[in-house]
Amino acid sequence: MVSLVPSLTEAVAVSVPGALVGATDWCTHPAGLGVERVGGTKNPALERIVALAPDLVVANEEENRAPDLAALRAAGVEVLVTEVRSVAGAFPELARTLTACGAKARPSWLVEAERVWAGLPAPARRRTAVVPVWRRPWMVLGRDTFAGDVLARLGVDHLWADAADRYPRVPVAELVAAAPDLVVLPDEPYRFTPDDGPEAFGGLPCAFVGGRHLTWYGPSLLEAPRVLGEALRAARR
């Protein structure tokens, strides 16, 4: 198998050891994964993938470009494309993917992660947020996103959830004028840090979160509620 999605790479590697022969340069988990690297999620080395002769390439409709997937299919490679836009939708898609990769049953981490998310208590309070994912130009979470659903389940409602686009471009002055309770700054795809991002938001409280816990659907789902909850509670000016 070849994985073109970092979170799926981690899920397959820990659930079906030895199944993967290739993964993207951005596939950082599990640490020390010894497989052929096949470029980025948006610019995979198609010839290298075909040369590996995988039984299957696993991809995602948002992470990967349709022309690349079409080119792989045209070369005779089977491609499985996932669509994950909510926490509830992640679990059946992960199960489908792992089964296609040779798993005989749902792995324990997937069963436990589904139980953890289903059992989350109702948030004691709700807060509003803007969630930038890029700058130059500024882009934020919009409608129908996995990360937006993750935050909503943790009591954080992002203010562009009804936008026409899934990742709208919004001038930073407009983001500040919306007066959110906090700004959620992930470390991917743009790497926001305490020195790069907060200065644009006029003293609004900022929460720094790991992209792996906010946007990945895989083994990180198991610890994401706790890790993200701690980061959100630690939001500071």
Side-chain angles (χ1 to χ4, degrees), residues 1-4 20-23 35-38 45-57 77:
M1 315 293 169
V2 170
S3 173
L4 300 182
L20 287 173
V21 296
V35 298
E36 181 79 13
R37 298 297 172 162
V38 295
L46 301 180
E47 298 85 355
R48 202 179 311 159
I49 295 171
V50 173
L52 289 171
D55 298 320
L56 183 70
V57 169
V77 178

Side-chain angles (χ1 to χ4, degrees), residues 137-140 160 167-175:
W138 286 95
M139 301 173 68
V140 298
W160 266 261
Y167 300 97
R169 297 185 181 190
V170 184
V172 70
E174 189 174 336
L175 299 177

Side-chain angles (χ1 to χ4, degrees), residues 84-107:
V84 179
R85 299 191 179 188
S86 68
V87 173
F91 298 112
E93 283 291 79
L94 282 163
R96 180 172 74 97
T97 301
L98 294 174
T99 297
C101 291
K104 303 303 181 186
R106 287 195 176 204

Side-chain angles (χ1 to χ4, degrees), residues 154 208-210 213 220 223-233:
L154 298 175
F208 300 94
V209 301
H213 291 108
S220 57
E223 61 184 12
R226 175 185 58 80
V227 174
L228 290 173
E230 291 172 355
L232 293 169
R233 288 190 293 273

Side-chain angles (χ1 to χ4, degrees), residues 146-209:
F146 173 79
D149 188 43
V150 166
L151 290 172
R153 290 167 182 261
L154 298 175
V156 176
D157 302 308
H158 69 96
L159 294 177
W160 266 261
D162 295 325
D165 298 324
R166 297 184 66 218
Y167 300 97
R169 297 185 181 190
V170 184
V172 70
E174 189 174 336
L175 299 177
V176 174
D181 295 322
L182 72 160
V183 180
V184 178
L185 296 173
D187 62 7
E188 62 176 61
Y190 186 91
R191 188 173 182 82
F192 289 103
T193 70
D195 298 319
D196 185 354
E199 78 288 345
F201 292 96
L204 287 170
C206 293
F208 300 94
V209 301

Side-chain angles (χ1 to χ4, degrees), residues 54-126:
D55 298 320
L56 183 70
V57 169
V58 292
N60 175 263
E61 49 92 28
E62 179 177 23
E63 288 263 11
N64 309 118
R65 302 186 314 132
D68 292 329
L69 305 183
L72 288 171
R73 290 191 178 101
V77 178
E78 183 177 353
V79 179
L80 183 154
V81 181
T82 58
E83 180 179 312
V84 179
R85 299 191 179 188
S86 68
V87 173
F91 298 112
E93 283 291 79
L94 282 163
R96 180 172 74 97
T97 301
L98 294 174
T99 297
C101 291
K104 303 303 181 186
R106 287 195 176 204
S108 59
W109 67 261
L110 182 56
V111 174
E112 180 64 10
E114 190 165 12
R115 185 195 66 78
V116 167
W117 280 96
L120 283 184
R125 64 178 177 126
R126 302 203 69 82

